Amino acid sequence: MNIVLIGFRGTGKSTVGKLLAQRLERDFIDSDKCIESSTGKTIKSIFEEVGEKGFRKIEADIITELSKMDNTVISAGGGVVLKEENVRILKNNGFLVLLEATPKIIHNRITQDEKTTQQRPSLTDKTPLDEIKHLITKREHAYKNAADYTINTSYVSCEDIVKEIITTANKSVNN
Ligand code: S3P
């Protein structure tokens, strides 16, 4: 069974995912990184060439491949939950953990994160903080619907989040 981290940009999926994989001695896979290595392009340039719609198609193909893995920690790009089919196939063999954070904290994290320039093109014509607030509200239903478990990462250490995920995932496997 995979552990799949879902949630908006900047909620900690990559940082938590890497530590979680280390603790569980599993492989860690980031869907955005897979898209970049399979296309040889950055996420930003894919958006420039084929737009968000084209990007979502490539993303869905990658999710199909990743959902065939087992015992892996997967960090899913923030928009993966927008396609029901992505969620359905990830759930076949995955425990989906939703990471959340306040818009202000997300804003701080993504403006400081070097991968933002290449991996996080603007998705609206709003200012960055307004875009975060707008998209979190718009996607709330999809995130909640997809999640088997939710953790707010705003004020919790990465170590504690990882412990909580391990405890919960173990319970779900044993039930
Ligand atoms: C997106 C989030 C990004 C990346 C792309 C689109 C989104 O992934 O897939 O820029 O729609 O929220 P991260 O959540 O890993 O930053």
Side-chain angles (χ1 to χ4, degrees), residues 9 13 32 43 55-56 59 77-79 119-121 123 139:
R9 298 164 162 179
K13 291 170 297 188
D32 286 333
I43 302 290
F55 170 77
R56 296 295 173 209
E59 185 174 60
Q119 230 170 284
R120 298 189 177 116
L123 299 166
R139 294 177 178 180

Side-chain angles (χ1 to χ4, degrees), residues 59-111:
E59 185 174 60
D61 289 343
I62 292 291
I63 292 298
T64 304
E65 290 311 307
L66 298 188
S67 64
K68 292 176 191 159
M69 321 217 69
D70 196 15
N71 285 324
T72 300
V73 176
I74 299 171
S75 168
V80 160
V81 296
L82 299 175
K83 267 197 168 76
E84 276 179 23
E85 180 63 7
N86 289 342
V87 175
R88 195 186 64 74
I89 56 176
L90 283 171
K91 267 186 183 290
N92 277 343
N93 186 31
F95 182 67
L96 271 59
V97 180
L98 170 62
L99 300 187
E100 294 183 320
T102 68
K104 257 198 170 160
I105 287 180
I106 289 177
H107 182 248
N108 287 346
R109 286 180 185 161
I110 63 183
T111 44

Side-chain angles (χ1 to χ4, degrees), residues 19-20 38 41 43 47 49 71 79 88 96 100-102 107 139-140 157 159 169-170 175:
L19 187 65
L20 180 63
S38 76
K41 292 172 186 167
I43 302 290
F47 267 75
E49 283 172 31
N71 285 324
R88 195 186 64 74
L96 271 59
E100 294 183 320
T102 68
H107 182 248
R139 294 177 178 180
E140 193 180 354
S157 74
E159 282 286 351
N170 279 340
N175 275 340

Side-chain angles (χ1 to χ4, degrees), residues 131-147:
E131 173 172 297
I132 293 165
K133 289 179 182 164
H134 170 77
L135 289 180
I136 285 182
T137 308
K138 200 172 159 199
R139 294 177 178 180
E140 193 180 354
H141 184 70
Y143 283 135
K144 295 262 190 260
N145 253 1

